């Protein structure tokens, strides 16, 4: 069967959004499922506002990936008002749950004073922790910190 030209893609997106709305109405019990719905909203439908609402549901239930993703949205002002303090708060919560990406982002915030007071030694500690967990961007940054001696006492 041949799809009619022009509107097929838009119709598929409309159907996809309806599916996300339906799934959210089912009140999923898994925070991972809610997070994935938010990811779908953000990445496929490019709807950061709806993604932020969905991430918030999973974040309030303690999902580390949702906490991290919501922190990124606050840090970028995407779908929510830009709020670096809220981003730092969310990165801290996600880092406590083991998120290497959030630990790295927290280190970057400490290094630049984004949403928090500059603290180079703490920035280096966070970046090192994320690097030890195998997070690539943190490994690169930690190598640069070691080379420059910026906040690193080793």
């Amino acid at each position: 069967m041949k799809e009619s030209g022009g509107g097929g893609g838009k119709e598929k997106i409309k159907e996809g959004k309806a599916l996300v709305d339906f799934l959210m109405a089912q009140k999923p019990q898994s925070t991972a499922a809610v997070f994935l719905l938010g990811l779908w909203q953000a990445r496929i439908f490019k709807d950061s506002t709806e993604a932020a609402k969905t991430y918030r549901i999973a974040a309030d239930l303690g999902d580390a990936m949702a906490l991290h993703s919501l922190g990124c949205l606050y840090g970028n002002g995407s779908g929510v008002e830009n709020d670096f303090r809220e981003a730092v708060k969310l990165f801290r919560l996600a880092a406590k749950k083991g998120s290497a990406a959030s630990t790295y982002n927290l280190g970057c915030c400490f290094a630049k004073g984004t949403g928090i007071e500059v603290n180079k030694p703490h920035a280096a500690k966070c970046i090192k922790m994320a690097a030890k967990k195998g997070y690539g961007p943190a490994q690169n940054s930690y190598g640069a910190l070691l080379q420059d001696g910026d906040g690193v006492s080793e």
Side-chain angles (χ1 to χ4, degrees):
M1 174 182 275
K2 187 175 178 182
E3 191 173 62
S4 62
K10 289 181 182 179
E11 191 60 36
K12 295 254 185 236
I13 289 174
K14 187 177 177 182
E15 290 171 11
K17 286 184 178 181
L19 177 61
V20 169
D21 291 343
F22 171 77
L23 292 171
M24 286 303 295
Q26 304 309 304
K27 304 208 184 308
Q29 300 300 308
S30 163
T31 59
V34 176
F35 165 75
L36 289 173
L37 289 173
L39 189 63
W40 202 18
Q41 290 166 323
R43 301 269 171 92
I44 295 174
F45 303 128
K46 308 289 187 218
D47 190 342
S48 295
T49 302
E50 286 303 312
K53 292 176 189 175
T54 305
Y55 287 153
R56 175 57 72 186
I57 293 167
D60 288 347
L61 295 171
D63 185 85
M65 293 189 330
L67 288 162
H68 174 77
S69 296
L70 190 57
C72 290
L73 292 180
Y74 274 102
N76 294 325
S78 182
V80 291
E81 190 172 323
N82 184 263
D83 185 343
F84 292 122
R85 289 179 190 262
E86 181 68 12
V88 167
K89 177 183 150 190
L90 292 164
F91 291 147
R92 277 190 167 152
L93 291 170
K96 285 181 183 177
K97 293 184 170 288
S99 169
S102 282
T103 304
Y104 172 70
N105 284 5
L106 193 55
C108 292
C109 290
F110 276 113
K112 297 176 184 173
T114 306
I116 199 162
E117 192 173 319
V118 172
N119 185 330
K120 298 281 185 172
H122 197 67
K125 180 181 174 186
C126 290
I127 293 169
K128 180 181 180 180
M129 286 172 48
K132 283 187 170 186
K133 290 182 179 183
Y135 189 62
Q139 292 171 335
N140 291 337
S141 293
Y142 191 64
L145 289 175
L146 286 173
Q147 185 175 7
D148 298 341
D150 195 10
V152 182
S153 60
E154 299 179 18

